[in-house]
Amino acid sequence: GVEALSLPNGNDDQDNDTLNALAVDAQRCLGGAELAFLTKDVNINSVRKSRVIFESLSDVDPDNANVRAGLGTSLLILGVMKEDESVVKLAMFHLKAASSLCQKGAVEAQPQSIFQSEVSAMSAAILHNLALASISLGDDVSSVALLLRAGAIRREDSAHSVNLFWNFSHEALLTIEQQAALMGAKRTRRQKKKTKSKIPFLSDRFAVKEATA
């Protein structure tokens, strides 16, 4: 597993603050690397390591949109690949938090086009991943709205290309999309079966009438 970086205990508070900042940045990059280097065949062990790192970072910096997005994305991959709805719902919680933090960052970054471009790319990616989570839970209606919002943001900022360290690769994205659709379809079928089981068949009604006649 990946352990948190240990820091030397020094007397200079400023040096310690710098080391702490570097350690947090290093862990953030390590967590993102586990996702960025995914191939089409998703490596669950790598995603688990990424989750551990981003969970530790979220304890240190819960208001960091990148961290919450990385945690939500790693949980999304794990939940979809394992078809675990509880993990997907937890992923949605962190992705929604990241989206809110991202919107707050967009307001603060309005005068600075470079930062605004990064925030826009981040916001679009978060919404897209939220849509995948909705699809995996059989909520196609919500997913369409999220995908439309993500697409609109990308069109508005199409002049810039920003690589997000916490997001998964294009190859892995295709795998997750397919798996999310399959998971959502299975859930929809289960719900339909439950609904049918609640409606008594006419033959059963007739059988009851004949038995009591």
Side-chain angles (χ1 to χ4, degrees), residues 80-81 83 136 174-184 186:
V80 169
M81 296 307 294
E83 296 191 6
S136 70
L174 294 176
T175 301
I176 300 304
E177 286 178 347
Q178 294 169 0
Q179 189 65 24
L182 180 62
M183 181 178 172
K186 288 180 179 178

Side-chain angles (χ1 to χ4, degrees), residues 79 84-94 133 136-137 187:
D84 189 330
E85 292 187 6
S86 63
V87 177
V88 173
K89 289 176 181 177
L90 183 59
M92 291 185 75
F93 170 78
H94 289 289
S136 70
L137 296 176
R187 190 179 195 275

Side-chain angles (χ1 to χ4, degrees), residues 65-200:
N66 280 300
V67 169
R68 298 296 289 275
L71 177 55
T73 299
S74 58
L75 285 167
L76 172 63
I77 297 174
L78 289 173
V80 169
M81 296 307 294
K82 295 168 61 179
E83 296 191 6
D84 189 330
E85 292 187 6
S86 63
V87 177
V88 173
K89 289 176 181 177
L90 183 59
M92 291 185 75
F93 170 78
H94 289 289
L95 288 170
K96 286 178 180 178
S99 181
S100 297
L101 291 167
C102 197
Q103 290 174 11
K104 179 182 177 182
V107 173
E108 295 173 352
Q110 277 183 353
Q112 307 174 55
S113 60
I114 296 177
F115 296 115
Q116 179 63 33
S117 177
E118 182 178 351
V119 170
S120 296
M122 190 191 313
S123 181
I126 291 169
L127 290 172
H128 182 271
N129 292 355
L130 263 173
L132 292 184
S134 296
I135 290 172
S136 70
L137 296 176
D139 187 1
D140 294 335
V141 175
S142 296
S143 68
V144 170
L146 290 165
L147 288 172
L148 287 174
R149 287 172 59 194
I153 293 172
R154 286 187 172 122
R155 283 193 298 274
E156 290 173 2
D157 204 43
S158 59
H160 300 88
S161 177
V162 179
N163 292 322
L164 301 168
F165 73 88
W166 53 262
N167 206 13
F168 38 58
S169 66
H170 178 69
E171 292 80 5
L173 177 62
L174 294 176
T175 301
I176 300 304
E177 286 178 347
Q178 294 169 0
Q179 189 65 24
L182 180 62
M183 181 178 172
K186 288 180 179 178
R187 190 179 195 275
T188 301
R189 284 197 296 270
R190 288 196 302 268
Q191 288 178 331
K192 286 182 178 180
K193 287 182 179 179
K194 287 180 180 179
T195 303
K196 286 182 179 180
S197 66
K198 293 178 182 179
I199 303 174

Side-chain angles (χ1 to χ4, degrees), residues 7 12-25:
L7 301 174
D12 193 330
D13 291 339
Q14 186 173 359
D15 288 344
N16 281 337
D17 289 342
T18 301
L19 287 173
N20 275 312
L22 289 172
V24 169
D25 285 342

